[in-house]
Amino acid sequence: QVQLVESGGGSVQAGGSLRLSCAASGLDYNRACMGWFRQAPGKERELVSSIKTRGRTFYADSVKGRFAISQDNAKSAAYLQMDSLKPEDTAMYYCAAYYTISDYCYTGHSAYPYWGQGTQVTVSS
């Protein structure tokens, strides 16, 4: 059974940084796409970043150059380093995963059956 647990959220001022962690159990990283989604009140859940085996990554245009995704297979963890945070980055952030043979990850949340409980990120101006 796959379980994902996020941590690292919090409140920061604009320009600050946070590092989100996703601890996974029961997940085969070699076959999994790992994604970080976010959802702000009244908005749809959107893919922020994803990573697949061999390091293929995706970033939403809104976070390119500011966020960096990584994973540590030995620790069964994925990370999202968030720098130069903006108030519009305020949202609940979720770690998600699904298995695929493709080198690329889907951007739609419906492709991901495994989800964490979320961690809140609040950026004040």
Side-chain angles (χ1 to χ4, degrees):
Q1 183 177 358
V2 175
Q3 289 189 324
L4 305 175
V5 180
E6 304 96 334
S7 61
S11 297
V12 296
Q13 290 197 332
S17 297
L18 285 172
R19 187 189 194 213
L20 305 184
S21 298
C22 175
S25 60
L27 186 71
D28 182 352
Y29 272 94
N30 289 322
R31 298 190 296 123
C33 270
M34 298 293 298
W36 284 98
F37 287 79
R38 68 185 180 188
Q39 188 167 21
K43 295 188 176 181
E44 292 190 359
R45 190 169 296 191
E46 63 171 347
L47 179 64
V48 174
S49 183
S50 64
I51 188 168
K52 183 65 167 64
T53 307
R54 292 186 292 276
R56 294 188 184 275
T57 59
F58 163 86
Y59 294 96
D61 288 343
S62 59
V63 305
K64 281 181 180 177
R66 300 189 298 121
F67 290 12
I69 192 170
S70 61
Q71 65 183 44
D72 185 335
N73 291 0
K75 295 183 179 180
S76 297
Y79 307 97
L80 186 68
Q81 178 66 42
M82 305 187 296
D83 298 322
S84 302
L85 283 162
K86 303 176 180 180
E88 50 263 45
D89 294 319
T90 295
M92 184 71 79
Y93 283 71
Y94 298 90
C95 175
Y98 77 101
Y99 289 125
T100 179
I101 61 174
S102 173
D103 285 342
Y104 299 93
C105 300
Y106 282 114
T107 58
H109 61 80
S110 61
Y112 295 73
Y114 307 115
W115 290 85
Q117 81 289 350
T119 186
Q120 178 68 37
V121 172
T122 302
V123 185
S124 58
S125 57

